[in-house]
Amino acid sequence: MTHRFPKTCLEGKFSIEYLLWLVLSKGSVESSDFSEEKTSTDFREFAQKISRFNDLPSDDSTRPIRLIIRSNHQITFDQLVQYPKGSPQNPLSSREHFAKYHQLTQGKLDAIYWQLIEKTLLKLSEFFEKITLLD
């Protein structure tokens, strides 16, 4: 998350503020939300209300993320996640990988994905056959 105040929607791909704004304003994030178009005034006003604190204390095994939402100077939501989805300790499932792939390619490359998976499974089965022959 390198862009605090992205100037374009494409830079917004790397902005927690922009992603949060998309989810709260329209309920979803889609590939069409990341274009060379300039970010809106609504987003820039929203981003001014966000405070970001990087480098939470951690060890080598955690990647903590903390989200605190304040309304009228009172905390309305506070959550700390040690192992965010997609981290090595909380990896995406095969279905989640496919859903992400499907969304990013807009379904146009699904057949290629399944061919790659099939080839990988065949290679794994060959590997296991060789191991069994060694027993």
Side-chain angles (χ1 to χ4, degrees):
M1 299 287 114
T2 56
H3 294 284
R4 172 88 172 87
F5 298 104
K7 291 181 178 83
T8 67
C9 299
L10 186 58
E11 286 180 358
K13 199 178 220 182
F14 306 99
S15 167
I16 192 64
E17 293 81 6
Y18 183 73
L19 296 171
L20 182 60
W21 177 74
L22 285 173
V23 170
L24 293 175
S25 65
K26 66 177 225 164
S28 66
V29 176
E30 299 168 15
S31 58
S32 60
D33 294 322
F34 306 110
S35 66
E36 292 293 335
E37 184 179 319
K38 290 187 178 199
T39 54
S40 71
T41 306
D42 288 344
F43 161 72
R44 290 190 294 277
E45 288 173 4
F46 173 83
Q48 293 292 329
K49 299 175 184 177
I50 303 295
S51 299
R52 182 199 297 196
F53 304 96
N54 298 333
D55 300 325
L56 294 175
S58 68
D59 57 35
D60 290 339
S61 68
T62 61
R63 293 174 51 195
I65 295 173
R66 185 172 203 164
L67 176 61
I68 300 172
I69 299 175
R70 290 187 174 98
S71 179
N72 299 327
H73 304 290
Q74 294 181 356
I75 294 176
T76 58
F77 181 84
D78 184 354
Q79 183 166 358
L80 174 68
V81 176
Q82 291 291 340
Y83 304 107
K85 193 65 175 169
S87 68
Q89 294 82 4
N90 190 9
L92 296 174
S93 69
S94 297
R95 279 190 180 168
E96 290 165 323
H97 270 287
F98 176 72
K100 188 172 185 175
Y101 178 86
H102 177 79
Q103 180 188 14
L104 292 172
T105 63
Q106 299 174 344
K108 295 176 183 167
L109 301 176
D110 289 2
I112 294 171
Y113 177 88
W114 290 116
Q115 287 173 357
L116 289 171
I117 294 296
E118 188 175 292
K119 285 180 183 178
T120 303
L121 291 175
L122 286 174
K123 288 178 184 176
L124 282 174
S125 67
E126 291 170 10
F127 172 75
F128 287 120
E129 282 177 22
K130 288 178 183 176
I131 289 179
T132 351
L133 292 174
L134 294 174
D135 287 344

